[in-house]
Amino acid sequence: MAVSDADGLFLSIDVGEYERNSDGRALKESAFGKALFDKQLKLPKPSPLPGEEKVFLYYFVANEAFPLTNNIMKPYPRRQLTNERRIYNYRISRGRKSLECSFGMLASKFRVLETPIHCNVGRIDNIVQALCVLHNFIRIHEGTYSEPAMEQDTTNYLNEDQPNQSQRNNQRSTNNTIYLRNRLCNFFLKPGQILPWQEKYTV
């Protein structure tokens, strides 16, 4: 499990979690997750979204396998989708591409990750951690850019693989987290925040 920024730099990684464990459980048991849920992460103070006066909490973007919290925004479930929510899901999934690209760059640069690593588990953890550090070092020295990409992409976000029942966490969303997600959903529909092509993800 990992957290990355818009430049493809890893901000936090947790190595060694077995695949049979859900993403939600991996987050809960990781050092990052414990710090997040215990409010020990030094997140920026809430600030207004562009064009608004009311502040909004800084948040991480995640897929459906993770819990919806004040600081974690994830897509709406498919069974509850309206056109507005489809657009929100597209925008959230589009933002999550930074992490997916980080993994892709890591694997393409260090081909050892494309095959089984024949070492003991502890050493494999160290290898992966070292490669993530090297990845960040190379990205920083090659130069990184965080200008938002405004070009249209062709990823079919509406048909992404959804987590199965064993992957779903049981943490209930509070009224406040639901309010925050709905507010962000409405924000993506405001003049000045609309992407010209986002309507293609409606039905």
Side-chain angles (χ1 to χ4, degrees), residues 68-83:
L68 177 69
T69 73
N70 288 348
N71 297 113
I72 299 177
M73 292 289 109
K74 69 175 188 176
Y76 287 101
R78 286 189 177 186
R79 66 181 181 277
Q80 301 176 3
L81 290 184
T82 61
N83 280 338

Side-chain angles (χ1 to χ4, degrees), residues 48-61:
L49 294 169
E52 295 191 353
E53 296 182 358
K54 192 173 182 179
V55 298
F56 197 91
L57 296 172
Y58 280 82
Y59 61 91
F60 298 93
V61 174

Side-chain angles (χ1 to χ4, degrees), residues 63-140:
N63 63 29
E64 284 193 355
F66 291 92
L68 177 69
T69 73
N70 288 348
N71 297 113
I72 299 177
M73 292 289 109
K74 69 175 188 176
Y76 287 101
R78 286 189 177 186
R79 66 181 181 277
Q80 301 176 3
L81 290 184
T82 61
N83 280 338
E84 292 77 13
R85 291 181 174 186
R86 288 186 177 91
I87 290 173
Y88 165 90
N89 282 3
Y90 162 68
R91 298 289 292 268
I92 287 292
S93 298
R94 188 171 185 266
R96 209 176 66 242
K97 283 183 65 178
S98 294
L99 179 57
E100 296 169 1
C101 289
S102 298
F103 284 131
M105 289 185 288
L106 182 70
S108 65
K109 193 171 292 290
F110 303 106
R111 298 301 176 86
V112 65
L113 297 175
E114 296 182 350
T115 60
I117 303 176
H118 300 288
C119 296
N120 62 59
V121 174
R123 182 166 294 180
I124 291 175
D125 290 353
N126 292 337
I127 290 172
V128 174
Q129 291 169 349
L131 294 181
C132 289
V133 172
L134 287 173
H135 164 86
N136 282 1
F137 178 84
I138 293 170
R139 289 286 293 162
I140 291 171

